[in-house]
Amino acid sequence: MDILLQKVALSDIDVGDRMFVVTEGRGIEALQNSIAACGLLQPPCLWRPQADAAFVTVCGCLRLQAALNLGLQGICARVLDPATPRAVLLACALHDNLGHRVFNPVETAHALQRLLACLPRNEVIGHWLPLFGRAASARTLERLLCLCTLEHEVRAALIAGSLTEASALRLGAYAADDRRAVFALMGHLHLSAGKQAELLECLEDLARRDAVALREVAAEDDILQVCRDERRTRVQKTEQVRRILRLRRFPRLSAAEARFDAALKEMRMGPGIRIMPPENFEARVFRAEITFSSADELRRHAGGLLDAARRQACERLLAVPGEDGAGKHRTEPQRG
Amino acid sequence: MDRPFRPDTIFVEQAVESYPLTGSVLERCPGVPVVMVHDAAALVKQFQDDPPAGFNGKRNLLLCRNRGRFLEACPGTGRAYRCCQYLILNTGLGCPLACTYCVLQAYLNNPFLTLFVNRDDMLRELERSARLAPGRFLRIGTGEYMDSLALEHLTGFVPAIAGFFRQRPHLRLELKTKTALTASLQEHDYSDVFIVSWSLNAEAICSGEEPGAAALPERIMAARDLIDRGYRVGFHFDPLIAFDGWQEGYRATVELLKKHIPPERVAWISIGSLRFMPRLKHIAQTACASTAIYTGEFVTGLDGKMRYLQEIRLELYARLVGWLREYGPDIYLYFCMESPYVWERIMGAAPSSNWELKRILDCSISGCPRETCAENGHG
Ligand code: SF4
């Protein structure tokens, strides 16, 4: 492969041709400052399909854009032989970046899509996926390619890091209308990676359980109302939407928690005493915690705890729905 | 299964080409393409990492040696839930019935339906284990990693192994199935050797979530047929699923039992509710987009598995146990993987330990009186 170092007028470069450009969503400001201060230290790489055609960018699209922004007329560039196969040009573009940075998922997906256009699938899976730090499997390839089909704003959120790759892949599996509705809901909320996963799982479960479309679950009146409420911060909206969805998804668990809280309130225990339910109401082991800093305080709290334990509400705190007075479940045959 | 399973392709590990079971499986599958492979483990790894497009492991049979143990303790989890100390006999891995709740989807990393053809090694290991526990009653089952009868027409397992078990009456083999493929049990009387048990569910679950299994009435009629031939049978209401209409559904199944199965021929009925490793949900929903069984109110149990909220389980059990007691007051009912608390609430008392539960079940099968069996060496 012949590479010539030559001076090229910026007007001879078709910067709109992004056939080999693999960079997406990266800022240009720092690079521009560096070029303004020291000039273009690394020459971009160009290719010309024919002698009279405009140059096409192979490597260095950001450098070229920065040079244009700075009003430079010409630059020094490496120019590749017109006979260079497209697969080689694409490989040059990718290696120029792979050596020193990690590709974001959208860049990876687009790069794979282009590689597939000029290389056998096996080579893309076996050789290229590991270069992107991905598992060499057909499943990985398919999953990543699905990111290419996402709407621009979803891809932008993924590049910006406000949407995780796992969430984007999940959204990618939805019908377009569902995806738009769910993504719109996410836009109102402040969601960590864990909360994104929780929200999507909850919406999916509700849609599946109630046999309705995801967009219907995401656009229930009470949820829309919270999202539109200008007085709430994004964090407050997030917590409220999570509460609404959890109540809908886990009505019995939520009711058990509410019963517990109500009984606890009726037990009227002062500060310094805490009673905690079994985790998920599974183990039937409750915990009481007393916080004190003197023997006197301990005696007072212990007395308070004993008083509370004698109240009727304590029975309710410990009860399991469906039990008879003797704490047994009724097993006599009942007509369904 | 409407029709007995016939694989699309049979992969044979070269080293087992001359094994008798390999020969008989191939003979019983005329016209099925056969692919010889040098190394079964490498083949499994290859298909696991990168399955070819459209590959369905449940339709592809792999014949190979079991290089590990054939006999293992049931992986009953932790101390928080009672387990009956069952022993599992691994005759193969994977199952063609494709139930949407099947734990094997998340448990096995071998995508093939696999049969272990080194049966002599299996018998030797069984013999060794039996000798290590002289006089002790051992309940063994084959239905854990595969339906016990789904491949019987290819393997001839029942007649091949009956003699071994007949000579060792303290070993009792349970064949657990959702099929009506009982021909080999009908041909000869093995009622002193095997207990055959059926997993039952509500009709809606059988038809919606157990696509490869026999219809519910077929299972019950198959059980009835074996009872008429002198067998005792068992039933497993597991996994109970709290779907819309579960009460009518399970009640109707008990009614079917009442109509067709004399309770005195039932050795036991086990009961358990849907529980699963968290990762199964995604795997199962990907495999079957229409299933909604994972959208119930599941919480993380004390063993890390997802289970219905306890109050929902109590409700399911209370109803079912009530109906079953009405059907057969003397049938031994037990829970599979439930907490002592749930046992006490529903059954009135909990076995004091896993060994106690094992002892009671051993007695139900051997016919020895529960009160004295501890001295007789059970448990
Ligand atoms: S019959 Fe049992 S082993 Fe077979 S798929 Fe169903 S649950 Fe799994």
Side-chain angles (χ1 to χ4, degrees):
Chain A
M1 179 168 58
D2 290 338
I3 307 178
L4 292 174
L5 197 60
Q6 67 181 71
K7 271 213 92 94
V8 176
L10 283 175
S11 56
D12 287 344
I13 304 170
D14 180 1
V15 285
D17 187 335
R18 300 179 65 83
M19 188 186 298
F20 302 108
V21 173
V22 293
T23 303
E24 286 176 67
R26 293 177 72 84
I28 199 173
E29 215 177 283
L31 181 63
Q32 205 164 300
N33 290 340
S34 147
I35 294 172
C38 312
L40 196 53
L41 298 176
Q42 290 290 336
C45 210
L46 305 174
W47 174 71
R48 198 175 216 179
Q50 294 115 34
D52 56 347
F55 288 99
V56 175
T57 314
V58 176
C59 313
C61 67
L62 293 181
R63 279 165 276 167
L64 288 170
Q65 191 55 54
L68 275 171
N69 293 354
L70 290 167
L72 303 188
Q73 297 300 310
I75 52 148
C76 191
R78 294 180 199 280
V79 178
L80 289 152
D81 185 347
T84 314
R86 275 159 202 262
V88 175
L89 295 169
L90 183 56
C92 285
L94 292 169
H95 280 298
D96 184 50
N97 288 277
L98 279 169
H100 63 91
R101 71 177 181 90
V102 176
F103 274 42
N104 69 49
V106 176
E107 289 174 319
T108 309
H110 281 144
L112 291 167
Q113 200 177 38
R114 285 185 216 178
L115 285 165
L116 280 173
C118 50
L119 290 175
R121 194 178 154 80
N122 280 352
E123 191 177 333
V124 176
I125 294 172
H127 178 71
W128 283 97
L129 277 174
L131 289 177
F132 289 110
R134 306 286 183 153
S137 79
R139 208 173 309 153
T140 309
L141 178 66
E142 293 312 324
R143 281 162 63 84
L144 283 164
L145 287 176
C146 136
L147 298 178
C148 300
T149 63
L150 296 174
E151 291 80 4
H152 173 75
E153 56 277 21
V154 181
R155 293 201 311 263
L158 178 55
I159 292 173
S162 57
L163 186 71
T164 64
E165 185 177 324
S167 301
L169 287 168
R170 240 167 149 148
L171 288 171
Y174 300 168
D177 285 354
D178 289 337
R179 182 165 55 245
R180 273 193 287 275
V182 173
F183 187 67
L185 170 61
M186 293 175 90
H188 289 286
L189 311 176
H190 183 77
L191 298 163
S192 62
K195 284 181 184 164
Q196 285 179 29
E198 176 201 285
L199 177 85
L200 295 180
E201 171 134 3
C202 192
L203 293 171
E204 288 169 18
D205 282 350
L206 287 168
R208 196 181 272 266
R209 185 191 72 189
D210 302 338
V212 294
L214 268 165
R215 54 186 173 277
E216 291 176 54
V217 186
E220 288 272 5
D221 285 346
D222 47 0
I223 291 177
L224 289 184
Q225 223 165 23
V226 172
C227 291
R228 286 186 195 127
D229 187 348
E230 309 255 303
R231 289 160 308 168
R232 291 180 209 250
T233 64
R234 265 160 48 105
V235 173
Q236 287 169 332
K237 288 179 187 177
T238 307
E239 289 320 304
Q240 186 57 20
V241 167
R242 289 177 72 212
R243 261 196 296 276
I244 292 173
L245 288 174
R246 187 170 187 275
L247 195 66
R248 213 162 271 163
R249 174 69 184 85
F250 295 103
R252 302 273 301 253
L253 178 59
S254 304
E257 287 164 349
R259 272 195 309 274
F260 182 85
D261 289 345
L264 206 56
K265 220 168 177 181
E266 276 181 60
M267 285 168 75
R268 292 198 300 274
M269 284 176 304
I273 310 172
R274 271 178 69 201
I275 292 190
M276 284 144 291
E279 203 177 330
N280 296 320
F281 295 93
E282 179 66 21
R284 305 303 303 162
V285 176
F286 295 74
R287 282 188 307 139
E289 187 183 277
I290 294 179
T291 311
F292 61 95
S293 53
S294 68
D296 193 38
E297 204 177 0
L298 173 61
R299 274 190 291 273
R300 227 178 29 248
H301 288 335
L305 189 60
L306 272 177
D307 284 346
R310 286 190 201 104
R311 293 206 175 93
Q312 270 279 306
C314 185
E315 298 300 322
R316 281 199 290 284
L317 187 93
L318 300 170
V320 173
E323 279 181 343
D324 61 17
K328 281 255 197 73
H329 251 75
R330 294 172 25 180
T331 57
E332 68 269 26
Q334 301 166 46
R335 290 282 148 192
Chain B
M1 286 174 108
D2 290 345
R3 278 176 296 130
F5 171 77
R6 185 180 152 90
D8 291 347
T9 308
I10 302 177
F11 293 81
V12 180
E13 190 179 30
Q14 260 157 24
V16 304
E17 193 182 358
S18 59
Y19 281 50
L21 183 51
T22 305
S24 64
V25 171
L26 295 182
E27 207 172 287
R28 292 170 196 204
C29 295
V32 174
V34 176
V35 179
M36 300 302 296
V37 293
H38 177 66
D39 180 359
L43 177 84
V44 166
K45 171 130 187 36
Q46 181 198 332
F47 276 68
Q48 184 189 25
D49 289 350
D50 209 358
F55 173 76
N56 178 357
K58 292 191 179 73
R59 306 264 350 136
N60 290 276
L61 184 62
L62 171 64
L63 305 182
C64 63
R65 281 187 64 217
N66 180 7
R67 290 174 172 78
R69 290 184 60 93
F70 281 96
L71 203 58
E72 61 179 83
C74 172
T77 41
R79 283 174 303 157
Y81 303 103
R82 288 278 175 266
C83 165
C84 70
Q85 310 273 289
Y86 192 63
L87 290 172
I88 296 167
L89 185 60
N90 290 324
T91 54
L93 299 171
C95 179
L97 304 194
C99 305
T100 59
Y101 52 74
C102 181
V103 294
L104 298 182
Q105 299 171 92
Y107 194 76
L108 299 180
N109 49 18
N110 173 352
F112 288 90
L113 187 58
T114 302
L115 270 180
F116 299 133
V117 294
N118 48 333
R119 206 176 257 166
D120 288 346
D121 293 341
M122 179 181 81
L123 292 177
R124 267 193 293 276
E125 189 183 321
L126 266 173
E127 177 65 48
R128 256 197 324 270
S129 303
R131 261 197 257 122
L132 284 178
R136 236 173 69 191
F137 198 79
L138 298 180
R139 270 176 307 109
I140 303 171
T142 57
E144 202 68 20
Y145 296 125
M146 170 182 285
D147 183 283
S148 294
L149 296 177
L151 299 187
E152 176 62 23
H153 58 293
L154 304 183
T155 62
F157 177 78
V158 166
I161 201 162
F164 177 90
F165 277 89
R166 184 163 278 143
Q167 285 162 16
R168 294 159 186 84
H170 62 298
L171 306 185
R172 192 59 62 92
L173 190 71
E174 178 189 356
L175 300 169
K176 192 171 171 183
T177 189
K178 289 189 186 105
T179 73
L181 301 171
T182 49
S184 58
L185 293 151
Q186 293 167 357
E187 270 161 32
H188 296 279
D189 180 8
Y190 299 122
S191 58
D192 57 330
V193 180
F194 302 120
I195 293 257
V196 190
S197 66
W198 275 266
S199 294
L200 302 180
N201 220 304
E203 173 60 43
I205 299 300
C206 294
S207 56
E209 311 292 338
E210 298 170 350
L216 178 63
E218 277 179 51
R219 291 181 220 178
I220 290 179
M221 292 326 288
R224 174 62 203 232
D225 177 78
L226 288 192
I227 285 172
D228 291 344
R229 292 166 195 272
Y231 288 83
R232 285 183 84 206
V233 299
F235 293 106
H236 301 273
F237 277 86
D238 197 352
L240 294 183
I241 293 175
F243 63 101
D244 266 351
W246 65 263
Q247 304 198 14
E248 296 79 8
Y250 288 112
R251 170 106 207 178
T253 301
V254 177
E255 289 299 322
L256 270 179
L257 282 182
K258 220 187 240 179
K259 198 162 159 201
H260 299 286
I261 306 291
E264 62 281 6
R265 302 303 299 159
V266 178
W268 72 76
I269 295 179
S270 84
I271 301 169
S273 58
L274 180 59
R275 55 211 176 273
F276 55 91
M277 286 178 269
R279 67 176 193 277
L280 177 67
K281 178 179 174 183
H282 176 69
I283 296 171
Q285 290 186 156
T286 306
C288 177
S290 63
T291 186
I293 61 173
Y294 296 96
T295 63
E297 282 198 62
F298 295 101
V299 295
T300 309
L302 302 171
D303 54 0
K305 286 189 185 173
M306 306 305 291
R307 299 163 175 265
Y308 283 117
L309 184 65
Q310 195 181 70
E311 65 175 64
I312 299 177
R313 305 204 308 272
L314 287 169
E315 208 172 289
L316 282 163
Y317 297 151
R319 285 296 174 97
L320 182 65
V321 167
W323 296 323
L324 289 172
R325 288 233 168 103
E326 190 187 50
Y327 155 58
D330 296 328
I331 298 174
Y332 185 65
L333 304 180
Y334 72 97
F335 287 124
C336 182
M337 300 311 294
E338 262 309 347
S339 64
Y341 177 83
V342 168
W343 271 87
E344 276 160 25
R345 286 296 178 270
I346 303 294
M347 304 291 195
S352 57
S353 64
N354 289 344
W355 284 106
E356 159 91 354
L357 175 57
K358 173 182 161 17
R359 189 179 64 83
I360 296 171
L361 277 165
D362 292 349
C363 294
S364 302
I365 297 170
S366 65
C368 116
R370 259 172 233 168
E371 302 71 34
T372 56
C373 74
E375 288 102 64
N376 292 343
H378 292 169

